[in-house]
Amino acid sequence: MTELRLSGGCQCGAVRYALLAPPTNPHICHCRMCQKAFGSFFAPLTSVTLDKFEVTRGALAIFYSSDPVERGFCRDCGTPLTIHTIGEDRIFVSIGSLDEPARVAPKKQHGVEGRLPWFDTITHLPGDATTEQEDPALTAKIAASNHQHPDHDTAVWPPKGA
Ligand SMILES: [Zn+2]
Ligand SMILES: [Zn+2]
């Protein structure tokens, strides 16, 4: 890792952000609040100090999952992006929303009391690639009408004429 600036954003591209320092405390959180907020089995999170987090496009929408906890997301597409506890100087960012999530491996599990009983089995499930089960016409249609923002910053989004 030489580049310190990591970028990321929501699925639709309305919200983009940058981390101006290497993130720390990468982990997954199994707590029920994170399961609901992410619609998933766990939330993958890493953190930077507030002054090293910059929204570079759009603005976070905030849901208060409890009075002190702000959960930032994209109002247009719903992607969960941040978690910040009021008064703390760190903000957590969802690893999956980073442009290069493979660069931030979780080092710990948090909220293990909420871990789903079959969680340890999922990496052993049979697997297939995205397109193997789909018909080629549908695959082509999805590729030709992809509305997901690419995994890098863009000067203009959505592209003109789209
Ligand atoms: Zn969005
Ligand atoms: Zn949590």
Side-chain angles (χ1 to χ4, degrees):
M1 276 209 211
T2 50
E3 174 64 49
L4 296 186
R5 181 188 167 102
L6 294 181
S7 57
C10 67
Q11 186 170 24
C12 80
V15 181
R16 296 282 302 163
Y17 66 80
L19 308 184
L20 308 178
T24 60
N25 190 20
H27 69 280
I28 60 175
C29 183
H30 294 280
C31 87
R32 188 63 186 136
M33 290 257 196
C34 284
Q35 287 175 351
K36 272 287 187 182
F38 283 71
S40 185
F41 316 138
F42 60 86
L45 299 165
T46 190
S47 78
V48 291
T49 53
L50 279 174
D51 61 319
K52 300 298 183 190
F53 177 80
E54 185 178 297
V55 174
T56 55
R57 178 185 291 156
L60 293 170
I62 300 292
F63 172 67
Y64 289 86
S65 55
S66 59
D67 286 353
V69 178
E70 304 173 318
R71 289 180 181 266
F73 64 98
C74 173
R75 190 175 299 287
D76 294 343
C77 71
T79 303
L81 297 168
T82 61
I83 303 175
H84 175 243
T85 302
I86 293 171
E88 291 189 355
D89 72 338
R90 303 196 72 80
I91 185 167
F92 288 88
V93 175
S94 56
I95 294 174
S97 71
L98 290 167
D99 289 333
E100 298 176 274
R103 292 176 65 171
V104 184
K107 297 281 196 288
K108 162 183 180 196
Q109 301 183 68
H110 185 63
V112 292
E113 73 283 358
R115 187 167 55 196
L116 294 176
W118 37 255
F119 179 73
D120 287 341
T121 70
I122 61 177
T123 55
H124 304 295
L125 298 174
D128 55 38
T130 315
T131 54
E132 279 176 32
Q133 302 291 332
E134 292 170 355
D135 73 85
L138 177 60
T139 302
K141 200 171 181 180
I142 290 170
S145 63
N146 181 5
H147 300 300
Q148 178 164 298
H149 189 276
D151 282 331
H152 54 77
D153 286 326
T154 50
V156 179
W157 191 261
K160 287 207 172 7

